[in-house]
Amino acid sequence: MESLHLISLLVLVLLVINVLVFPVFGQGAIKTGFYSASCPKAESIVRSAVEAHFNKDSTIAAALLRLHFHDCFVQGCDASILIDAPSAEREAVPNTGLRGFEVIDDAKSQLEVSCPGVVSCADILALAARDSVDLSGGPSWGVPTGRRDGRISSLSEAASLPSPLDSVAAQRQKFAAKGLDDHDLVTLVGAHTIGQTDCLFFQYRLYNFTKTGNSDPSINQVFLTQLQTLCPKNGDASKRVALDKDSQLNFDSSFFKNVRDGNGILESDQRLWGDSKTRRIVDNYAGNIKGLFGVRFNFEFPKAMIKMSSIDVKTGTQGEIRKICSKFN
Ligand code: HEM
Ligand SMILES: *[C@@H]1O[C@H](CO)[C@@H](O)[C@H](O)[C@H]1NC(C)=O
């Protein structure tokens, strides 16, 4: 009897210490199948919404993957990117060209019919990113869920997003600030195996980049003439160009071969070949080992995505579950 009391006292003391030292434990972590009891169809509803849009326009997959990345890098993965208001995050310069909001709204309205007030917009973004990669022929993975939606969305905080003009040092620093290392950086930027960019973001590399009249010397000469045709000097800066010249709709590792060969489009992507540490990772994915080409990237990408999808997530009683993804409750 006496020892039983002692044990319960000990357990109580340990619990108190736990709450004091690790307050985050009180909020719980995200886990796969979070909605299996509260909304069993959650993941299949998101999947069918993404699929319906993808079947009409397969470029939507790239848009949804980028949307999740931009959400996670500002205020954590909390759907702050979806708020539609004058000085919200979405209005910041690095977020120009973001697309796919209608897909998230579509999934959300279907979820509100099946299980009102249960599934967060932040989780819809994470699930839609996974489904987009899968639909594009890339790997699939179990997405930990249970994120809550944030109550803050501010234009000024978007400065934590990387710029296409960033050096490797700057990219490294911005990823490290989110707990992501060089391996995660290179792996995640591999997302540029799908999607497009405006000429605006790289045109300056094609003409007088050196200030002595020359283009960026790291661009492959054959590719340079092609890019100059796609984005003429005083042409339309909003023209779209594939980030992976070989297969912009397929999620594969050809993007890394392009970076290796001087066929990267964004300066930030091409710089990954100029730094000895990131170069080694790019080279690995580019596939020097015949027969194993592409396999490693497909294996590493899901792991890096799960890490990115966990940045500063709100759980438990933090934040809210929005009724409409573009508005706070
Ligand atoms: C150093 C890091 C990064 C930089 C500087 C960067 C920059 C950019 C830029 C400038 C564009 C073109 C946007 C446009 O013109 O519409 C773009 C597109 C894209 N980014 Fe990144 N990005 C980075 C990392 C990532 C990561 C980590 C992901 C996802 C995991 C990602 C996914 C995408 C996708 C899928 C597109 C194509 C979007 C579309 O076709 O609509 N990017 N990125
Ligand atoms: C390139 O840029 C430099 C510096 O801005 C300028 O002085 C020069 O005239 C430019 N050259 C060409 C060919 O446009």
Side-chain angles (χ1 to χ4, degrees), residues 69-305:
F69 161 53
H70 282 228
D71 181 34
C72 291
F73 263 59
V74 185
Q75 281 282 335
C77 314
D78 71 343
S80 51
I81 192 67
L82 301 180
I83 295 297
D84 193 1
S87 57
E89 209 174 296
R90 186 163 154 175
E91 301 303 319
V93 175
N95 291 324
T96 29
L98 281 184
R99 304 179 296 131
F101 295 96
E102 70 286 0
V103 182
I104 306 299
D105 290 342
D106 199 358
K108 181 62 172 175
S109 52
Q110 290 181 50
L111 285 164
E112 287 304 290
V113 174
S114 296
C115 2
V118 173
V119 181
S120 69
C121 300
D123 279 341
I124 299 174
L125 282 167
L127 293 167
R130 184 267 314 268
D131 292 336
S132 295
V133 172
D134 183 34
L135 286 166
S136 306
S140 189
W141 61 94
V143 177
T145 43
R147 292 169 193 76
R148 309 261 303 171
D149 299 323
R151 299 266 318 144
I152 297 167
S153 176
S154 154
L155 187 156
S156 59
E157 288 185 41
S160 58
L161 281 163
S163 148
L165 282 68
D166 279 348
S167 63
V168 173
Q171 296 180 56
R172 179 177 281 138
Q173 185 254 317
K174 285 174 181 170
F175 276 68
K178 304 293 169 193
L180 301 168
D181 60 20
D182 277 6
H183 187 261
D184 301 318
L185 165 67
V186 175
T187 308
L188 290 167
V189 170
H192 291 165
T193 175
I194 54 172
Q196 303 176 322
T197 176
D198 281 11
C199 287
L200 175 74
F201 289 117
F202 68 92
Q203 206 165 23
Y204 67 94
R205 301 181 68 207
L206 311 180
Y207 311 98
N208 204 6
F209 176 82
T210 58
K211 304 293 174 212
T212 54
N214 296 319
S215 56
D216 184 337
S218 65
I219 306 175
N220 178 305
Q221 284 305 304
V222 178
F223 194 42
L224 177 65
T225 22
Q226 292 170 14
L227 287 180
Q228 286 172 332
T229 308
L230 288 169
C231 304
K233 198 162 187 173
N234 297 308
D236 179 5
S238 69
K239 213 172 131 196
R240 306 285 286 168
V241 174
L243 287 166
D244 171 1
K245 73 176 181 65
D246 296 318
S247 54
Q248 60 166 310
L249 293 174
N250 291 334
F251 197 97
D252 55 22
S253 57
S254 57
F255 166 78
F256 294 106
K257 290 210 280 179
N258 288 330
V259 170
R260 179 192 65 194
D261 300 341
N263 295 330
I265 304 275
L266 301 178
E267 187 184 353
S268 56
D269 290 350
Q270 192 54 56
R271 294 292 162 257
L272 296 175
W273 189 250
D275 175 281
S276 64
K277 276 183 162 161
T278 52
R279 176 198 292 235
R280 203 173 316 128
I281 307 164
V282 171
D283 204 19
N284 242 317
Y285 288 149
N288 289 327
I289 312 158
K290 228 178 158 189
L292 281 178
F293 164 67
V295 172
R296 265 176 61 82
F297 176 55
N298 265 5
F299 180 70
E300 298 294 332
F301 190 75
K303 289 197 285 177
M305 278 297 283

